[in-house]
Amino acid sequence: MKEKEQGLLIVLSGPSGVGKGTVCAALRKRDIPFVYSVSATTRPPREGEVDGVNYFFTTKEKFEEMIKRDELLEWAQYVNHYYGTPRRYVEEQLSAGRDVLLEIEVQGALQVKKKFPHGIFIFLMPPSLKELEHRIVSRGTESRDVIQNRMVMAREELEMMKYYDYVVVNDKVELACDRIEAIILAEHCKRERMMKHYITALEEEK
Amino acid sequence: MKEKEQGLLIVLSGPSGVGKGTVCAALRKRDIPFVYSVSATTRPPREGEVDGVNYFFTTKEKFEEMIKRDELLEWAQYVNHYYGTPRRYVEEQLSAGRDVLLEIEVQGALQVKKKFPHGIFIFLMPPSLKELEHRIVSRGTESRDVIQNRMVMAREELEMMKYYDYVVVNDKVELACDRIEAIILAEHCKRERMMKHYITALEEEK
């Protein structure tokens, strides 16, 4: 019996404000055969965000219950809110041979790396720190204190780049998407993964 | 003083008859910023092949002189002809920060790997051995003995896949080109390579 090939777990992360959400939204418009993991969070929805699509919006109490039951692949507390990834959905999709894209904060990505060391870890990077500050400020939803707090955190998060496999500069959204798409396609061509197909192909001809 | 970043050496190889030349010709029509290395050979030109473009066509005596002087990055004797890669051109291009694509036979690729272990080694693979035989036969330029000889060699060459970084199936030429293009773009996003840019970027802002 042939073993069902696992899908790839692709983790897209990077400092707050770098544009992870925007890049993911642009990726969704492309014809890429992967599934998006949906995170759970206790932060209130931003305008236009839909429950079950952008996030599962939940309460602090329910979130802490999920932590206790080990139902989260990763979780983090960030600017007084919880963010986390429900574990079961991701594992089911991977087992079915589907690639899964996780868009998460840097802290969470490092937790996932411990559980899925063979995942593909992509760090989305701002073209510069100045540009990052500009993006956070122009979002206009944060107070001055929160912005300063985020910039301090961003510098720390940039240091975490060293734990990632790939670094994608988000200079232009479409270029960032091209790079991410290329990384996924290239990873599928890695020799370790392709050897299995080759062995099967030769066996069938004997 | 900033160190000039080296280009990537991309080695495209695979069994005889798999379609390396066809894939390379299709890649040339795309807007990919890399330079093609031109091999030297003692085999006679096929119809349409141009000296200095497809190969440097040379004599056995001159080729053996180049081997003696260590002017070849790799060389091989194959169906009674020499094939090899002039070393200087490749090294100059890499030092100038340009990516270089080498399209060579499997034996040669393994020699290059010893000299450039950090090169990107891509193995072009036929969809099946039957399809490979079909391609060699339909080329119509080879005798029955040569074809059988090639098929024996092809099976041996397929074993060499294990020394490569990536395996690209040449099911359709344009799909194979998409995969190769993705591999090169992804390799440029590898964290080890991007870290340098990031360090430079942060230093400039201090």
Side-chain angles (χ1 to χ4, degrees):
Chain A
M1 210 182 87
K2 253 193 232 179
E3 208 184 316
K4 182 92 186 171
E5 196 175 356
Q6 284 266 313
L8 299 181
L9 179 66
I10 303 137
V11 178
L12 181 65
S13 189
S16 170
V18 73
K20 296 187 287 294
T22 311
V23 167
C24 269
L27 277 174
R28 272 174 199 265
K29 292 183 185 156
R30 298 186 176 201
D31 186 28
I32 313 175
F34 55 55
V35 161
Y36 292 81
S37 162
V38 179
S39 299
T41 185
T42 59
R43 82 148 163 76
R46 295 199 188 116
E47 213 182 304
E49 286 184 338
V50 178
D51 187 48
V53 176
N54 305 91
Y55 286 96
F56 294 114
F57 295 101
T58 187
T59 62
K60 191 167 174 261
E61 291 67 33
K62 283 189 185 162
F63 199 101
E64 288 172 349
E65 195 61 35
M66 289 169 87
I67 295 173
K68 264 193 222 156
R69 290 186 188 152
D70 196 28
E71 289 174 6
L72 294 166
L73 198 53
E74 55 81 33
W75 64 273
Q77 208 166 4
Y78 185 69
V79 195
N80 298 323
H81 292 299
Y82 283 121
Y83 294 79
T85 303
R87 173 199 286 269
R88 190 195 292 174
Y89 179 74
V90 170
E91 292 185 341
E92 281 174 357
Q93 296 296 323
L94 292 176
S95 297
R98 292 187 200 102
D99 295 348
V100 177
L101 186 89
L102 267 187
E103 178 222 327
I104 49 176
E105 306 297 327
V106 172
Q107 303 173 48
L110 299 182
Q111 289 179 59
V112 176
K113 198 174 164 71
K114 283 177 195 158
K115 288 174 184 160
F116 285 91
H118 298 301
I120 318 300
F121 290 80
I122 304 175
F123 191 88
L124 199 63
M125 183 181 153
S128 69
L129 278 175
K130 270 187 193 133
E131 176 58 26
L132 183 67
E133 187 165 10
H134 175 72
R135 286 179 196 184
I136 294 173
V137 171
S138 66
R139 189 185 271 175
T141 55
E142 320 291 4
S143 72
R144 190 68 218 159
D145 276 3
V146 172
I147 289 167
Q148 285 208 328
N149 197 1
R150 289 211 165 181
M151 284 307 294
V152 170
M153 195 171 281
R155 281 171 191 273
E156 286 171 13
E157 286 174 333
L158 281 172
E159 295 291 321
M160 299 301 119
M161 191 192 292
K162 58 177 177 268
Y163 299 111
Y164 287 73
D165 302 305
Y166 295 95
V167 173
V168 165
V169 177
N170 187 19
D171 43 1
K172 292 196 172 145
V173 172
E174 291 306 321
L175 289 180
C177 290
D178 288 347
R179 293 172 191 131
I180 293 165
E181 210 176 330
I183 289 166
I184 297 168
L185 185 50
E187 283 286 335
H188 277 286
C189 294
K190 281 266 180 87
R191 190 245 313 142
E192 313 86 88
R193 297 199 175 94
M194 291 295 294
M195 282 290 270
K196 293 179 204 164
H197 294 290
Y198 149 73
I199 290 162
T200 313
L202 284 195
E203 277 170 359
E204 280 168 4
E205 287 181 36
K206 270 175 193 165
Chain B
M1 211 182 83
K2 255 194 230 177
E3 208 185 316
K4 182 90 186 172
E5 198 176 354
Q6 285 265 313
L8 299 180
L9 179 67
I10 303 135
V11 178
L12 182 65
S13 189
S16 170
V18 73
K20 296 186 288 295
T22 311
V23 168
C24 269
L27 278 175
R28 274 173 198 264
K29 291 183 187 155
R30 298 186 176 202
D31 186 28
I32 313 174
F34 55 56
V35 161
Y36 292 81
S37 163
V38 178
S39 299
T41 185
T42 59
R43 83 149 162 75
R46 294 200 188 113
E47 213 182 303
E49 285 184 338
V50 178
D51 186 47
V53 176
N54 304 92
Y55 285 98
F56 293 113
F57 296 101
T58 187
T59 62
K60 191 168 174 259
E61 291 69 31
K62 283 189 185 160
F63 199 100
E64 288 174 347
E65 194 62 34
M66 288 169 85
I67 295 172
K68 264 194 221 156
R69 289 187 189 149
D70 197 28
E71 289 173 7
L72 295 167
L73 200 52
E74 55 81 33
W75 64 273
Q77 207 167 5
Y78 185 68
V79 196
N80 297 323
H81 292 297
Y82 282 122
Y83 294 79
T85 303
R87 174 199 286 268
R88 190 195 291 174
Y89 179 75
V90 171
E91 293 187 339
E92 281 174 357
Q93 297 296 322
L94 292 176
S95 297
R98 292 187 200 102
D99 295 348
V100 177
L101 187 90
L102 267 186
E103 178 223 327
I104 49 177
E105 305 298 328
V106 172
Q107 303 172 50
L110 299 183
Q111 289 179 58
V112 175
K113 198 174 163 70
K114 283 178 196 157
K115 288 174 184 158
F116 286 91
H118 298 300
I120 318 301
F121 291 80
I122 304 175
F123 191 89
L124 199 64
M125 183 180 153
S128 70
L129 278 176
K130 269 187 194 134
E131 176 58 25
L132 183 67
E133 185 165 10
H134 175 72
R135 286 180 196 183
I136 294 173
V137 170
S138 65
R139 188 185 270 175
T141 56
E142 320 291 5
S143 71
R144 190 68 218 159
D145 276 2
V146 172
I147 288 168
Q148 285 208 329
N149 196 2
R150 289 213 164 179
M151 285 307 294
V152 170
M153 195 171 282
R155 280 171 191 273
E156 287 171 13
E157 286 174 333
L158 282 171
E159 294 292 320
M160 299 300 121
M161 192 192 291
K162 58 176 176 268
Y163 299 111
Y164 286 73
D165 302 305
Y166 296 95
V167 173
V168 165
V169 177
N170 187 19
D171 43 1
K172 292 198 171 143
V173 172
E174 292 305 321
L175 288 180
C177 289
D178 289 346
R179 293 173 192 131
I180 293 166
E181 210 175 332
I183 289 166
I184 297 169
L185 185 51
E187 282 286 336
H188 277 285
C189 294
K190 281 267 180 86
R191 190 245 312 140
E192 313 86 89
R193 297 198 176 96
M194 290 296 292
M195 282 290 270
K196 294 179 204 163
H197 293 291
Y198 149 72
I199 290 162
T200 312
L202 283 194
E203 277 171 358
E204 280 169 3
E205 287 181 36
K206 270 177 191 163

